[in-house]
Amino acid sequence: MTQISEVQVEVDSPDGTRRTILHELSLTLEEHVVAVVGANGSGKSTLLRLVAGLVAPSAGEIRFSPTVPRSGFIFANPQAQIIMPVVGEDIEFSLRGTIKGRAERTRRMREILESLELGHREEASVYELSSGERQKVALAGVLATEPELVIADEPTTLLDLRNAAEFRRRLLGLEVPLLLATHDLEFAAQADRVLVFDHGRLLDDDEPAAAIPRYRRLALQTPEGA
Ligand SMILES: Nc1ncnc2c1ncn2[C@@H]1O[C@H](COP(=O)(O)OP(=O)(O)OP(=O)(O)O)[C@@H](O)[C@H]1O
């Protein structure tokens, strides 16, 4: 369970002032899949980075129970997190934190690749992969770290319809909880809970069937005077 209490995030602006990018927020997250939606710049990634410990709150606190989870982060662009040039090597690299023996690392790497139907790509250069395969390699690298929470920031953005559907299915099938920011409302519709952000504020927090139609209306409404 993640408990966010009166958290606020501020950043320095170029003019020397402080800008609030996440306004005071209190939330308890305990559902298996939580989707965060909202316009560009509304604060979705900031919330994800806060939960992952990549950004510190300027005020308030985040508590986890029973302990701080080991989180695995998936980005929109998988190239950002693939370190080694060859698929199998990259997964083995991620396994170094959890498995000491080399033979055992190789065995586990193959198991993870097989589970993602990537067994035949073990020797492939990461640069010759399709976007769909590359995103699966990024997921394989995250799974290798045995995360207790997966945090995904627009993970289907670069994928075509078919690959997006497959990747959604894989993320939704994980045993560990998933916190997801997405513009893919089909994906958000499959969450247990949807948080809608707007200009750094939590605007709506409900089950998908209620929150998504409200968000669509909000996003598509014509600005006054337009
Ligand atoms: N380190 C930072 N320094 C300055 N401004 C930042 C920083 N991080 C985020 N911001 C600003 O905070 C606002 C919220 O950003 P955030 O990335 O959380 O939005 P988002 O909802 O994820 O957007 P998108 O859908 O475009 O990814 C944006 O205006 C962004 O420019």
Side-chain angles (χ1 to χ4, degrees), residues 124-220:
S125 156
V126 296
Y127 303 105
E128 71 189 43
L129 302 177
S130 69
S131 298
E133 286 175 323
R134 208 172 287 146
Q135 193 57 294
K136 281 201 287 184
V137 171
L139 176 60
V142 162
L143 295 181
T145 64
E146 295 182 9
E148 294 158 319
L149 167 68
V150 170
I151 300 179
D153 197 353
E154 298 178 28
T156 54
T157 300
L158 298 181
L159 305 183
D160 64 29
L161 280 178
R162 206 182 110 143
N163 280 299
E166 188 202 327
F167 203 69
R168 283 201 295 260
R169 185 174 53 74
R170 289 193 185 280
L171 286 180
L172 292 168
L174 295 176
E175 279 173 24
V176 295
L178 172 69
L179 175 63
L180 157 87
T182 189
H183 294 293
D184 177 349
L185 296 184
E186 261 185 74
F187 201 169
Q190 294 175 72
D192 300 307
R193 178 177 177 187
V194 173
L195 309 176
V196 181
F197 277 80
D198 188 45
H199 293 96
R201 293 179 199 277
L202 178 64
L203 197 72
D204 204 352
D205 175 1
D206 212 328
E207 57 187 49
I212 291 177
R214 285 198 293 261
Y215 170 57
R216 270 188 207 279
R217 279 196 293 279
L218 169 84
L220 298 176

Side-chain angles (χ1 to χ4, degrees), residues 11-12 19 21 39-46 49 154 183:
V11 292
D12 290 321
R19 183 160 79 94
I21 59 170
N40 291 132
S42 57
K44 303 181 297 296
S45 301
T46 304
R49 288 193 219 114
E154 298 178 28
H183 294 293

Side-chain angles (χ1 to χ4, degrees), residues 45-119:
S45 301
T46 304
L47 174 67
L48 266 51
R49 288 193 219 114
L50 262 172
V51 173
L54 301 175
V55 166
S58 315
E61 62 172 347
I62 304 188
R63 273 175 296 176
F64 298 93
S65 117
T67 54
V68 180
R70 190 167 45 242
S71 56
F73 211 107
I74 295 178
F75 300 89
N77 183 356
Q79 201 60 56
Q81 64 194 109
I82 297 175
I83 295 165
M84 304 300 278
V86 174
V87 170
E89 285 174 13
D90 188 73
I91 309 311
E92 285 191 307
F93 184 80
S94 298
L95 285 166
R96 290 202 312 191
T98 47
I99 302 176
K100 293 287 158 263
R102 189 148 184 209
E104 176 58 14
R105 269 206 302 272
T106 303
R107 191 198 63 74
R108 179 70 185 130
M109 172 270 285
R110 293 198 171 128
E111 195 174 74
I112 292 171
L113 288 181
E114 285 298 335
S115 75
L116 293 168
E117 291 160 40
L118 277 176

